[in-house]
Amino acid sequence: MNLKDRADKSDVIKEFLERETGRRKPTGIPHVILIVVPIIWSLFQLWIVSPIPYTLGVGVLNDTAARSFHLAFSVFLAFVGFPMFKKSPVERVPLQDWLFAVVAAFCSVYLYVFQTELSRRPGLPTTIDVVIACVGVILLLEATRRVMGFPMTLVAITFLLYVFGGPYAPRILAHGGTTLSRAASQFWLTQEGVFGLPLGVSTSFVFLYVLFGALLEGAGAANYLTALSFALLGRLRGGPAKAAVVASGFHGFISGSSIANVLTTGPITIMLMKKVGFTPEKAGAVEVAASSNGQIMPPVMGAAAFLMAEYINMPYSQLIKHAFIPAMLAYLSLLFIVHLEACKLGLQASPGPHKTLAHKILRWGLGLTSTVVTVCVIYYVLSWVPGVFGDYSWIVFAIFVFLCYLALLIVSLMVPELPETEYEKLTQFESALPVILSGLFYLLPTATLVWGLMVMEMSPGLAAYYACLLMIFIVLTHRPFVAWRKKQPILPAFKHGVSRLMGSFVSGAKNMIGIGLATASAGIVVGTVSLTGVGLVLASMVEYISGGFLPVALVLTAMLSIILGMGLPTTANYIIVSTLLSPVIFNLSAAYGLGVPLLAVHLFCLYFGVMADATPPVALAAFAASGISGGNPFKTGVQGFIYELRTAVLPFVFLYNQEILLLNIKNVFHLMWVIATSLLACMAFASATHRFFLVKTRWWELIFLLGSMVFLFRPDIPHDAMYPPYHERPPEQIMESVEELKPDEYMRLHLLTTFRDGRVVDQVVVLPVRGNNAQQRLSQAGVYLGWENDVLMLSNVGFSSRLEKLGVNMDDPTQVLGIEMPNRDRPAKWMFSSPGLLLLLVVVLNQIRRRRREISYQGVPIEASEPAAS
């Protein structure tokens, strides 16, 4: 049964497919336009990112022009490809939609066409400017409604109403309001609204990564990655479910959409999971959990990750490095959860050639070791290339990749061709090696992408550009080369490659319509925050509701992300939550002396945006999976949420334990310890939530597992309790204390502020250490001190300094009670993970004993049994 037939079972899947690809299926000229325009859009995006315009000096476009054309393509295709209502004609494009498409595209490129005139009158729009802006915003909201549905549109409209209705809002939310002219300038005529940073990231980075995924799909890489997953894991206990997890992880960097992942891998994996004994709800839930996490899997983490890199001003290569460990923990713990479910169901591994445990360990060890060694050798060799060849490094790398491509193509012809859908046959292979060798050349573009990001430190857009060029080359040459080697006609194979290439261009562009509109509409939210100052109001509200207690503020942020995620895509969800609440969490943590990195705060927002796809009552990924499995959508969503609990725990952990984000790692041993203890903590949490490890857990074992998780994830709790991280020095020693601080440490000032209303706030503010001496470091942080009657007071606060951003100002007298200095003689934190290891060991030994006893009661020889957790 193909994907379309399965999708017919669920209106949700049908609606999603219509939104992703365009519901209209016209004929004649409109059909040609819906093919030609996406191809032109894809070529345009490749052109503006490539170095060719700068080399030739032709067709160079600035950011304003690129964003204008990007939005113009989005709104044009939205009105032409998506009907106004469900009952609107789908076989033709009505005249009014052609009119809307042309007018919306003109309003989008208005900034480019009249950029010279607009630059001469900044903030002073003419009547025509205001009309164009109003029409543009209205048509943008209508296009968003057609493509994304009502939720995103209603959010944007709500913020627009707040801009003009500020004087009539409740007192705590009230502001002075604004004029139509100023709002038009803010939202449409500058880069502070619709054409702001979100749309800029969509233009510069996101499109090429979506196109890269479409090219991988068109080349057949998706089929190869799915087959590879089944070949590696299909024979294990619960193998199809484990293969679903890995396949969805692979597909995550292709699609960047949890629902698209479900629809791509679900028809195969869910069917096979049901075949081996999983209930429809659990089979769908496994696919939902695995597909949702595809958006947090490097090297491509969806559109939101590129926005995050811009928001926190961090190179994308650094971002994916810090996000790698949490993503791996999420997937490995999900594999363990699937294994627990298979054990609870009594599933057994598929029969195969008998091998001893030592033989299995040796094979896996040699395979893993050889893979790691090969990757490291290639990485270090290629890292050596830039230093030797300089500006010609790309030529050397291109020759190396071309030779690897030819070699791997020849190797692929020596093994059987992969099946298209019958992946269960792969579990019968004696070895997974033929499957691995059949498509290794598909990994070259991803290697090129990683090389550009990590070794050459290119921009994300330029790295994706070269990866797309290689994918285009593979799509065009793969089948002709195979035909030539098999002595078959080359021209039909080349035509097939061109057809696939054009199809990938169309698919990539159509997949970008929703992202382009979502980022543009989210720009209205960002513009409203900067225009009205609602961010400061929300900060006060969250701080008041949470009582200044950071965990409560985090829970509020998580709840808002999940609520918004019921109707918004992950990208739009992340933009809104990170714009409104990430500054609140960051400043709140700094004001109370915690110093949470901005990276961790934004990853927190992203993770819970992803969680929303699997959280009832509106879990779109669960609805899509249940349409394939035939299970109950709500039960599938609840089960998927249970599986996703480990993803919900990780953000709360890495906010406090930043070592999981590869921050403050001392050496390789420290890194390995962090990975091992974090993985054991995830396994302990999964066993506790499922009440099963080797056998069903008892109540005291459940407590031990949860305690083990806490000690392994948060060794800083007992560490700080026994050895306080800071000791306070009196204000008389503040200058020499600031002088002693290292550049990678923080200045922690203990302040006592008396407000005019009588409130007294005792707080510790965390400030960066910048400068060579104490005076420079204090002034750089905005701290100016003075003695008044033997009391050290803040005499001034630097304008726009870090201290002022934390809410400290000169309107209220502030006394400096002292400075907290780090205790550098504390024992290593990793030593305090040992109680967690001990608790876990007690549970394991007890369950091994109980399991042996249960096997003996059943009359099965102990030697014949196989450990459940093997």
Side-chain angles (χ1 to χ4, degrees):
M1 185 180 295
N2 58 35
L3 178 59
K4 184 178 183 300
D5 294 334
R6 293 181 181 276
D8 288 340
K9 294 182 179 180
S10 171
D11 292 338
V12 175
I13 300 179
K14 291 171 63 178
E15 182 180 357
F16 175 79
L17 289 174
E18 290 165 358
R19 288 183 180 181
E20 286 290 298
T21 60
R23 182 177 178 179
R24 282 204 176 108
K25 306 296 180 185
T27 57
I29 295 179
H31 174 71
V32 175
I33 290 177
L34 282 177
I35 294 177
V36 173
V37 173
I39 293 175
I40 295 175
W41 190 10
S42 297
L43 294 174
F44 168 79
Q45 295 289 158
L46 288 170
W47 174 264
I48 63 174
V49 177
S50 74
I52 297 176
Y54 301 95
T55 303
L56 300 179
V58 178
V60 178
L61 298 177
N62 56 27
D63 286 344
T64 301
R67 296 176 188 183
S68 298
F69 282 109
H70 183 80
L71 183 59
F73 280 113
S74 296
V75 292
F76 181 86
L77 291 174
F79 282 112
V80 175
F82 294 81
M84 181 177 293
F85 304 110
K86 289 184 177 180
K87 296 183 179 180
S88 299
V90 295
E91 70 284 351
R92 61 183 180 86
V93 181
L95 179 60
Q96 68 269 18
D97 282 353
W98 285 113
L99 179 63
F100 290 155
V102 173
V103 173
F106 172 76
C107 292
S108 300
V109 299
Y110 184 81
L111 269 73
Y112 169 69
V113 176
F114 297 98
Q115 58 181 333
T116 303
E117 291 80 358
L118 291 172
S119 64
R120 293 173 181 171
R121 51 175 192 269
L124 299 173
T126 63
T127 303
I128 296 179
D129 295 338
V130 174
V131 171
I132 291 293
C134 292
V135 173
V137 169
I138 293 172
L139 291 178
L140 171 63
L141 293 177
E142 167 59 14
T144 304
R145 182 197 67 81
R146 293 190 183 195
V147 179
M148 307 299 298
F150 277 105
M152 185 69 216
T153 309
L154 291 177
V155 169
I157 292 175
T158 301
F159 277 84
L160 283 175
L161 293 176
Y162 176 70
V163 168
F164 295 103
Y168 313 103
R171 183 174 180 180
I172 191 173
L173 294 173
H175 63 89
T178 187
T179 63
L180 181 62
S181 175
R182 185 183 177 191
S185 179
Q186 176 81 5
F187 291 123
W188 199 263
L189 303 178
T190 67
Q191 292 189 358
E192 298 295 327
V194 170
F195 296 94
L197 180 61
L199 186 64
V201 172
S202 176
T203 304
S204 303
F205 307 146
V206 178
F207 190 102
L208 288 188
Y209 284 84
V210 173
L211 179 61
F212 177 64
L215 289 168
L216 281 170
E217 185 83 28
N223 178 55
Y224 168 70
L225 294 175
T226 304
L228 180 62
S229 304
F230 276 88
L232 292 174
L233 302 173
R235 288 193 303 271
L236 302 180
R237 190 193 300 261
K242 294 175 181 176
V245 174
V246 176
S248 295
F250 285 145
H251 282 265
F253 69 83
I254 293 180
S255 70
S257 167
S258 58
I259 307 176
N261 284 352
V262 170
L263 296 175
T264 302
T265 60
I268 301 163
T269 57
I270 291 176
M271 182 251 315
L272 292 178
M273 279 188 276
K274 290 172 62 179
K275 186 176 180 180
V276 298
F278 279 74
T279 65
E281 287 76 17
K282 287 189 175 181
V286 169
E287 181 62 40
V288 167
S291 298
S292 298
N293 287 161
Q295 299 175 83
I296 62 174
M297 190 66 192
V300 182
M301 300 167 57
F306 301 103
L307 287 163
M308 186 188 305
E310 294 297 313
Y311 281 152
I312 64 179
N313 194 26
M314 175 181 287
Y316 185 72
S317 58
Q318 294 294 317
L319 173 62
I320 60 177
K321 181 185 75 173
H322 292 303
F324 180 74
I325 298 300
M328 289 302 299
L329 290 175
Y331 267 104
L332 291 176
S333 57
L334 181 57
L335 279 173
F336 183 68
I337 288 173
V338 168
H339 180 76
L340 294 180
E341 291 287 1
C343 292
K344 291 165 68 174
L345 292 171
L347 303 181
Q348 299 297 324
S350 300
H354 178 71
K355 295 181 177 66
T356 64
L357 180 61
H359 187 220
K360 293 179 181 178
I361 294 176
L362 180 62
R363 287 188 59 189
W364 278 91
L366 288 176
L368 181 62
T369 303
S370 61
T371 301
V372 172
V373 170
T374 303
V375 171
C376 289
V377 169
I378 293 175
Y379 175 79
Y380 284 111
V381 168
L382 294 179
S383 300
W384 166 76
V385 168
V388 175
F389 295 97
D391 295 338
Y392 300 97
S393 300
W394 67 273
I395 298 178
V396 176
F397 181 76
I399 294 173
F400 174 78
V401 170
F402 177 73
L403 294 177
C404 288
Y405 174 58
L406 288 181
L408 293 176
L409 269 182
I410 294 173
V411 170
S412 68
L413 294 175
M414 300 178 181
V415 296
E417 190 174 354
L418 291 178
E420 287 291 334
T421 55
E422 297 179 354
Y423 296 108
E424 66 270 18
K425 293 182 179 179
L426 298 176
T427 62
Q428 302 171 7
F429 287 2
E430 181 176 348
S431 172
L433 185 60
V435 181
I436 296 174
L437 297 178
S438 66
L440 274 178
F441 59 89
Y442 287 126
L443 303 182
L444 287 175
T446 304
T448 301
L449 178 64
V450 175
W451 183 77
L453 289 172
M454 306 298 292
V455 179
M456 298 301 293
E457 297 183 352
M458 299 177 181
S459 68
L462 189 59
Y465 167 75
Y466 287 118
C468 286
L469 285 187
L470 180 55
M471 274 309 312
I472 292 172
F473 180 75
I474 290 176
V475 172
L476 292 177
T477 60
H478 172 213
R479 292 183 179 276
F481 182 83
V482 173
W484 172 69
R485 293 284 295 183
K486 293 183 177 181
K487 298 181 180 181
Q488 297 174 350
I490 298 177
L491 186 59
F494 179 75
K495 290 182 178 180
H496 182 78
V498 172
S499 175
R500 287 219 170 196
L501 178 62
M502 295 299 105
S504 299
F505 282 165
V506 173
S507 176
K510 287 187 175 181
N511 290 338
M512 270 302 300
I513 297 174
I515 297 176
L517 295 175
T519 51
S521 299
I524 294 176
V525 177
V526 177
T528 301
V529 172
S530 61
L531 184 63
T532 64
V534 68
L536 297 176
V537 175
L538 284 174
S540 301
M541 291 178 62
V542 171
E543 186 171 359
Y544 175 77
I545 295 173
S546 63
F549 191 47
L550 183 60
V552 177
L554 295 176
V555 171
L556 292 174
T557 303
M559 291 175 60
L560 178 61
S561 296
I562 290 175
I563 292 172
L564 286 174
M566 292 179 182
L568 302 184
T570 302
T571 303
N573 187 350
Y574 165 75
I575 293 172
I576 295 172
V577 176
S578 63
T579 301
L580 297 178
L581 293 182
S582 64
V584 179
I585 297 174
F586 182 71
N587 293 330
L588 191 62
S589 66
Y592 287 86
L594 296 176
V596 176
L598 191 59
L599 166 68
V601 176
H602 280 261
L603 278 175
F604 182 93
C605 298
L606 174 62
Y607 267 59
F608 278 98
V610 171
M611 276 284 296
D613 284 340
T615 304
V618 186
L620 295 181
F623 276 90
S626 64
I628 298 172
S629 69
N632 182 285
F634 185 78
K635 290 182 179 179
T636 302
V638 171
Q639 189 65 51
F641 178 76
I642 294 174
Y643 290 157
E644 282 285 72
L645 283 177
R646 92 264 181 237
T647 306
V649 169
L650 283 173
F652 286 98
V653 172
F654 61 60
L655 278 176
Y656 292 94
N657 184 8
Q658 289 102 37
E659 292 173 345
I660 297 178
L661 299 177
L662 299 183
L663 300 173
N664 304 318
I665 297 294
K666 307 298 183 184
N667 47 52
V668 176
F669 174 78
H670 187 192
L671 172 63
M672 299 306 295
W673 180 263
V674 168
I675 294 174
T677 53
S678 300
L679 184 57
L680 288 175
C682 288
M683 294 172 62
F685 179 72
S687 299
T689 54
H690 288 76
R691 299 294 304 274
F692 193 91
F693 192 34
L694 302 180
V695 292
K696 187 175 181 180
T697 57
R698 293 174 175 172
W699 65 269
W700 66 268
E701 292 175 332
L702 179 63
I703 296 174
F704 272 39
L705 287 171
L706 292 176
S708 172
M709 179 202 71
V710 173
F711 281 115
L712 293 174
F713 263 147
R714 296 287 311 278
D716 56 295
I717 294 177
H719 187 220
D720 294 347
M722 298 178 65
Y723 299 93
Y726 302 98
H727 65 276
E728 186 166 323
R729 292 182 180 178
E732 293 81 6
Q733 302 179 17
I734 190 169
M735 298 302 291
E736 54 266 34
S737 299
V738 173
E739 193 84 32
E740 290 179 17
L741 291 172
K742 299 178 181 179
D744 60 343
E745 295 176 334
Y746 288 92
M747 188 191 316
R748 302 171 61 90
L749 297 181
H750 187 185
L751 306 180
L752 183 68
T753 304
T754 304
F755 292 92
R756 294 180 180 179
D757 57 5
R759 291 184 297 115
V760 178
V761 175
D762 189 332
Q763 63 179 338
V764 175
V765 294
V766 182
L767 305 170
V769 175
R770 297 171 183 167
N772 299 322
N773 54 56
Q775 193 62 48
Q776 287 181 357
R777 291 176 174 182
L778 288 171
S779 60
Q780 287 282 344
V783 180
Y784 297 90
L785 306 174
W787 289 92
E788 297 180 12
N789 300 325
D790 296 330
V791 175
L792 187 62
M793 304 289 293
L794 280 179
S795 61
N796 197 7
V797 176
F799 177 72
S800 295
S801 64
R802 179 70 189 141
L803 188 61
E804 186 184 56
K805 292 178 180 178
L806 293 176
V808 180
N809 54 65
M810 294 308 301
D811 295 337
D812 306 297
T814 301
Q815 178 184 352
V816 181
L817 299 179
I819 180 172
E820 292 187 350
M821 296 296 291
N823 288 328
R824 299 191 178 95
D825 298 330
R826 298 196 303 164
K829 184 172 65 174
W830 64 267
M831 297 174 57
F832 292 83
S833 300
S834 53
L837 295 174
L838 181 60
L839 290 173
L840 186 60
L841 181 61
V842 170
V843 175
V844 171
L845 293 177
N846 186 68
Q847 293 218 351
I848 289 176
R849 179 179 57 82
R850 288 170 52 206
R851 186 175 182 277
R852 285 177 174 269
R853 189 190 313 163
E854 290 178 4
I855 293 175
S856 299
Y857 287 160
Q858 295 171 1
V860 180
I862 295 177
E863 292 76 9
S865 63
E866 182 179 342
S870 63

